[in-house]
Amino acid sequence: MTTKDDRVRNVLTVDVEDYFHVRNFADTINLEDWETLEEVAPNATYRILRLFEEQQVKATFFVLGWLAKRHPRLVRAIHAAGHEVACHGYFHEPVRAMTPDEFRADVSAAKKVLEDTIGAPVLGFRAPSFSIDESSLWAFDVLLGEGFEYDSSLFPGRMVPFGFAGVSRQPCRLDRGAAGAIMELPLTTLTVAGVKLPFAGGGFFRAYPYAMIRAGMRHINEREHAPVVVYFHPWELVPQQPRVAAHVKARIKHYLGLTTMEKKITRLLRDFAFVPASEMLETCR
Ligand SMILES: [Zn+2]
């Protein structure tokens, strides 16, 4: 009989941001308006903490600095429950839209607010919208300079609007010469009939039926002997969130499958084994 410990370990991550932070709505919602909007992420994150406790699973929470500054108690609750607190930037600005100095300022402010809040080092980073690509490899040097030990921003393959052609499917070490080496935990893709599909969570898990998610997870774990890096957002578990008057394509992308997501995540946690990002990387050093 297979026990939970025998199963391939996957990586469970939550990008803690609200519905109004997403790139998809950036044309509609200005940064100056963020503080006037109704938030759903804090309560949803507390619900996620209860779900993870019920399922006895630990995860990595990539928290947006802006949100951490407003909700320090939430960040401390994540840390106190034994999960890993990591960094998702401060203002959710795509890396490739910033200069190296702008990126350094953003990521350093986010790391500081998180570390001051939990009183412990923050070692992991995930770029907003997975926005590190071949044109922004300098971001790794900035991350190393700011004391980060790993990144989880790269999506193997070329997909619009993100994608990174050259990276391995497995956790790997990226050598940056004089800057040092950073560990990379790439997001997961699945090849179906020769086509590479994003397969790591978020809108993709909202769109796919659970049977397909389970089959994909099994395929990657059992045939490819690779972990799946799963991510989702707290707002994806809140079907009744305020509606944004964005253009129709953005609305379809954002509101698709919200009612199914909590059930899918719960089933996923029952059917597969997960660890936080830092624990997965321990084995690859
Ligand atoms: Zn994000």
Side-chain angles (χ1 to χ4, degrees), residues 16 18 20-21 39-43 46 63-78 113-114 117:
V16 184
D18 224 311
F20 50 83
H21 295 127
E39 295 172 83
V40 303
N43 279 342
Y46 281 115
V63 185
L64 194 65
W66 183 89
L67 192 140
K69 183 81 183 163
R70 289 168 72 86
H71 300 284
R73 231 173 42 180
L74 173 65
V75 181
R76 281 195 288 270
I78 295 169
V113 69
L114 292 168
T117 304

Side-chain angles (χ1 to χ4, degrees), residues 14-22 31 34 39 41 45 61-72 74-75 78 85-94 106-107 109-111 113-114 117 125-129 233-235:
V14 184
D15 292 357
V16 184
E17 67 195 40
D18 224 311
Y19 65 92
F20 50 83
H21 295 127
V22 301
L31 196 153
W34 286 2
E39 295 172 83
T45 307
F61 289 71
F62 292 97
V63 185
L64 194 65
W66 183 89
L67 192 140
K69 183 81 183 163
R70 289 168 72 86
H71 300 284
L74 173 65
V75 181
I78 295 169
V85 172
C87 178
H88 194 41
Y90 201 97
F91 286 116
H92 211 260
E93 197 60 26
D106 181 275
V107 84
K111 190 172 194 276
V113 69
L114 292 168
T117 304
F125 176 76
R126 171 165 294 151
S129 316
H233 306 93
W235 57 261

Side-chain angles (χ1 to χ4, degrees), residues 12 15 25 27 49 55 68 90 102 110 132 135 145 154 172 181 226 236 241-242 246 249 254 258 265-266 268 273 285:
L12 184 60
D15 292 357
F25 289 155
D27 292 343
L49 287 175
Q55 300 296 326
Y90 201 97
E102 286 167 346
I132 298 180
S135 69
L154 303 185
C172 52
E236 293 186 294
Q241 65 191 262
K249 249 172 85 180
H254 190 89
L258 290 178
I265 296 294
T266 307
L268 199 64
R285 280 175 199 280

Side-chain angles (χ1 to χ4, degrees), residues 242-258:
R243 289 303 191 256
V244 175
H247 59 85
V248 67
K249 249 172 85 180
R251 277 188 281 135
I252 290 171
K253 188 174 165 197
H254 190 89
Y255 298 120
L256 176 78
L258 290 178

